[in-house]
Amino acid sequence: MDRRTALCMLLRGTCALAVACAGCGGGSDPPAEPSEPGPEEPPQGDSCGGSPGRPEEGWVEVKLSDYPVLREPGGSAAVRIPEVLLDVVVVHTQDGCYTAIWSICTHGACTVAYVPQERLMECPCHGSRFGEDGQVLRGPAARPLSVFRTIREGESVWIFRPR
């Protein structure tokens, strides 16, 4: 085999490896980024009222009896419901208002933790920080965390998880 053939094979192998690893480092991607709400899709983010839709539309019930810390403003809890692909931190931001923030870092797929005294999410792996609105405050993460609409109704918090 001549030098030119060897270099071409090496280049093809490198390209194949790059394509195979294109998603490396991101681990599990968060759900689709929230978009502008359509008539059937409620707005995303912090919510202080309204009525949830039906589970078939993507609304997921989180019972406060399972997460009593969420009853008080300032309370937060990791909520993981694998059967609906929900992995969020729910924060009771102010009286009657909640937000649900995707809990998997967009940089290295580590589980982020809520830091209540600073009102932000922090990744223990590489130090990325995110606001309660999901926006990147400090890298290395470049993409924000998804934030989902939440509504409290009775003794439950409902999270809109688009499908």
PDB file of all heavy atoms in Angstrom, residues 9 36 42 47 66 78-79 86-87 94 98 126 133 146 153:
ATOM      1  N   MET A   9      -7.272   6.166   3.550  1.00  0.00           N
ATOM      2  CA  MET A   9      -7.969   5.245   4.464  1.00  0.00           C
ATOM      3  C   MET A   9      -8.044   5.845   5.865  1.00  0.00           C
ATOM      4  O   MET A   9      -9.073   5.760   6.535  1.00  0.00           O
ATOM      5  CB  MET A   9      -7.263   3.893   4.487  1.00  0.00           C
ATOM      6  CG  MET A   9      -7.460   3.079   3.214  1.00  0.00           C
ATOM      7  SD  MET A   9      -6.587   1.509   3.227  1.00  0.00           S
ATOM      8  CE  MET A   9      -7.386   0.676   4.570  1.00  0.00           C
ATOM      9  N   GLU A  36     -42.605  28.746  20.347  1.00  0.00           N
ATOM     10  CA  GLU A  36     -43.732  29.638  20.547  1.00  0.00           C
ATOM     11  C   GLU A  36     -44.999  28.788  20.635  1.00  0.00           C
ATOM     12  O   GLU A  36     -45.213  27.898  19.819  1.00  0.00           O
ATOM     13  CB  GLU A  36     -43.857  30.617  19.374  1.00  0.00           C
ATOM     14  CG  GLU A  36     -42.776  31.660  19.374  1.00  0.00           C
ATOM     15  CD  GLU A  36     -42.781  32.511  20.630  1.00  0.00           C
ATOM     16  OE1 GLU A  36     -43.864  32.989  21.025  1.00  0.00           O
ATOM     17  OE2 GLU A  36     -41.716  32.698  21.225  1.00  0.00           O
ATOM     18  N   PRO A  42     -49.688  25.187  25.474  1.00  0.00           N
ATOM     19  CA  PRO A  42     -49.575  26.297  26.406  1.00  0.00           C
ATOM     20  C   PRO A  42     -48.157  26.841  26.437  1.00  0.00           C
ATOM     21  O   PRO A  42     -47.212  26.168  26.047  1.00  0.00           O
ATOM     22  CB  PRO A  42     -49.943  25.663  27.752  1.00  0.00           C
ATOM     23  CG  PRO A  42     -49.749  24.219  27.581  1.00  0.00           C
ATOM     24  CD  PRO A  42     -49.865  23.919  26.122  1.00  0.00           C
ATOM     25  N   SER A  47     -45.333  29.357  36.038  1.00  0.00           N
ATOM     26  CA  SER A  47     -46.765  29.555  35.914  1.00  0.00           C
ATOM     27  C   SER A  47     -47.383  29.805  37.273  1.00  0.00           C
ATOM     28  O   SER A  47     -47.016  29.190  38.258  1.00  0.00           O
ATOM     29  CB  SER A  47     -47.403  28.329  35.272  1.00  0.00           C
ATOM     30  OG  SER A  47     -48.793  28.497  35.198  1.00  0.00           O
ATOM     31  N   ASP A  66     -46.520  13.363  47.492  1.00  0.00           N
ATOM     32  CA  ASP A  66     -45.263  12.668  47.210  1.00  0.00           C
ATOM     33  C   ASP A  66     -44.051  13.589  47.366  1.00  0.00           C
ATOM     34  O   ASP A  66     -42.927  13.114  47.525  1.00  0.00           O
ATOM     35  CB  ASP A  66     -45.265  12.103  45.786  1.00  0.00           C
ATOM     36  CG  ASP A  66     -46.301  11.006  45.596  1.00  0.00           C
ATOM     37  OD1 ASP A  66     -46.701  10.376  46.597  1.00  0.00           O
ATOM     38  OD2 ASP A  66     -46.710  10.791  44.434  1.00  0.00           O
ATOM     39  N   ALA A  78     -36.429  17.088  43.077  1.00  0.00           N
ATOM     40  CA  ALA A  78     -36.139  16.370  41.838  1.00  0.00           C
ATOM     41  C   ALA A  78     -37.310  15.438  41.569  1.00  0.00           C
ATOM     42  O   ALA A  78     -37.720  14.678  42.442  1.00  0.00           O
ATOM     43  CB  ALA A  78     -34.846  15.582  41.977  1.00  0.00           C
ATOM     44  N   VAL A  79     -37.860  15.524  40.378  1.00  0.00           N
ATOM     45  CA  VAL A  79     -39.009  14.702  39.990  1.00  0.00           C
ATOM     46  C   VAL A  79     -38.607  13.922  38.749  1.00  0.00           C
ATOM     47  O   VAL A  79     -38.301  14.503  37.706  1.00  0.00           O
ATOM     48  CB  VAL A  79     -40.252  15.571  39.714  1.00  0.00           C
ATOM     49  CG1 VAL A  79     -41.398  14.709  39.198  1.00  0.00           C
ATOM     50  CG2 VAL A  79     -40.658  16.339  40.961  1.00  0.00           C
ATOM     51  N   LEU A  86     -39.761  12.213  31.921  1.00  0.00           N
ATOM     52  CA  LEU A  86     -39.686  13.464  32.666  1.00  0.00           C
ATOM     53  C   LEU A  86     -38.598  13.350  33.716  1.00  0.00           C
ATOM     54  O   LEU A  86     -38.610  12.433  34.539  1.00  0.00           O
ATOM     55  CB  LEU A  86     -41.032  13.767  33.337  1.00  0.00           C
ATOM     56  CG  LEU A  86     -41.146  15.137  33.992  1.00  0.00           C
ATOM     57  CD1 LEU A  86     -41.182  16.235  32.935  1.00  0.00           C
ATOM     58  CD2 LEU A  86     -42.386  15.213  34.849  1.00  0.00           C
ATOM     59  N   ASP A  87     -37.641  14.267  33.672  1.00  0.00           N
ATOM     60  CA  ASP A  87     -36.530  14.299  34.620  1.00  0.00           C
ATOM     61  C   ASP A  87     -36.237  15.772  34.888  1.00  0.00           C
ATOM     62  O   ASP A  87     -35.459  16.403  34.183  1.00  0.00           O
ATOM     63  CB  ASP A  87     -35.310  13.588  34.030  1.00  0.00           C
ATOM     64  CG  ASP A  87     -34.303  13.173  35.080  1.00  0.00           C
ATOM     65  OD1 ASP A  87     -34.416  13.637  36.234  1.00  0.00           O
ATOM     66  OD2 ASP A  87     -33.401  12.397  34.746  1.00  0.00           O
ATOM     67  N   GLN A  94     -42.684  31.202  43.987  1.00  0.00           N
ATOM     68  CA  GLN A  94     -43.391  32.144  44.848  1.00  0.00           C
ATOM     69  C   GLN A  94     -44.773  31.569  45.087  1.00  0.00           C
ATOM     70  O   GLN A  94     -45.146  30.581  44.473  1.00  0.00           O
ATOM     71  CB  GLN A  94     -43.436  33.536  44.232  1.00  0.00           C
ATOM     72  CG  GLN A  94     -44.084  33.587  42.861  1.00  0.00           C
ATOM     73  CD  GLN A  94     -44.052  34.978  42.261  1.00  0.00           C
ATOM     74  OE1 GLN A  94     -44.147  35.961  42.966  1.00  0.00           O
ATOM     75  NE2 GLN A  94     -43.917  35.061  40.953  1.00  0.00           N
ATOM     76  N   TYR A  98     -44.865  27.880  40.150  1.00  0.00           N
ATOM     77  CA  TYR A  98     -43.886  26.803  40.056  1.00  0.00           C
ATOM     78  C   TYR A  98     -43.172  26.875  38.717  1.00  0.00           C
ATOM     79  O   TYR A  98     -43.688  27.446  37.762  1.00  0.00           O
ATOM     80  CB  TYR A  98     -44.576  25.437  40.153  1.00  0.00           C
ATOM     81  CG  TYR A  98     -45.222  25.187  41.485  1.00  0.00           C
ATOM     82  CD1 TYR A  98     -46.488  25.685  41.771  1.00  0.00           C
ATOM     83  CD2 TYR A  98     -44.569  24.451  42.460  1.00  0.00           C
ATOM     84  CE1 TYR A  98     -47.077  25.465  42.996  1.00  0.00           C
ATOM     85  CE2 TYR A  98     -45.156  24.220  43.698  1.00  0.00           C
ATOM     86  CZ  TYR A  98     -46.408  24.730  43.955  1.00  0.00           C
ATOM     87  OH  TYR A  98     -46.995  24.512  45.182  1.00  0.00           O
ATOM     88  N   HIS A 126     -18.843  19.666  35.581  1.00  0.00           N
ATOM     89  CA  HIS A 126     -17.950  20.636  34.942  1.00  0.00           C
ATOM     90  C   HIS A 126     -18.238  22.069  35.365  1.00  0.00           C
ATOM     91  O   HIS A 126     -17.640  22.995  34.829  1.00  0.00           O
ATOM     92  CB  HIS A 126     -18.018  20.509  33.419  1.00  0.00           C
ATOM     93  CG  HIS A 126     -17.659  19.142  32.942  1.00  0.00           C
ATOM     94  ND1 HIS A 126     -18.581  18.265  32.437  1.00  0.00           N
ATOM     95  CD2 HIS A 126     -16.469  18.492  32.929  1.00  0.00           C
ATOM     96  CE1 HIS A 126     -17.967  17.132  32.124  1.00  0.00           C
ATOM     97  NE2 HIS A 126     -16.694  17.241  32.410  1.00  0.00           N
ATOM     98  N   ASP A 133     -34.715  30.125  34.702  1.00  0.00           N
ATOM     99  CA  ASP A 133     -35.333  30.154  33.383  1.00  0.00           C
ATOM    100  C   ASP A 133     -34.629  29.214  32.404  1.00  0.00           C
ATOM    101  O   ASP A 133     -34.937  29.173  31.226  1.00  0.00           O
ATOM    102  CB  ASP A 133     -35.347  31.573  32.822  1.00  0.00           C
ATOM    103  CG  ASP A 133     -33.948  32.157  32.639  1.00  0.00           C
ATOM    104  OD1 ASP A 133     -32.941  31.508  33.025  1.00  0.00           O
ATOM    105  OD2 ASP A 133     -33.857  33.284  32.120  1.00  0.00           O
ATOM    106  N   SER A 146     -34.145  23.005  29.171  1.00  0.00           N
ATOM    107  CA  SER A 146     -35.555  23.221  28.853  1.00  0.00           C
ATOM    108  C   SER A 146     -36.319  23.505  30.143  1.00  0.00           C
ATOM    109  O   SER A 146     -36.012  22.951  31.195  1.00  0.00           O
ATOM    110  CB  SER A 146     -36.149  21.993  28.175  1.00  0.00           C
ATOM    111  OG  SER A 146     -35.562  21.815  26.906  1.00  0.00           O
ATOM    112  N   GLU A 153     -52.972  22.676  40.741  1.00  0.00           N
ATOM    113  CA  GLU A 153     -54.418  22.515  40.809  1.00  0.00           C
ATOM    114  C   GLU A 153     -54.709  21.588  41.974  1.00  0.00           C
ATOM    115  O   GLU A 153     -54.311  20.416  41.950  1.00  0.00           O
ATOM    116  CB  GLU A 153     -54.971  21.947  39.498  1.00  0.00           C
ATOM    117  CG  GLU A 153     -56.488  21.868  39.508  1.00  0.00           C
ATOM    118  CD  GLU A 153     -57.030  21.424  38.174  1.00  0.00           C
ATOM    119  OE1 GLU A 153     -56.949  20.215  37.882  1.00  0.00           O
ATOM    120  OE2 GLU A 153     -57.512  22.291  37.430  1.00  0.00           O
TER     121      GLU A 153
END
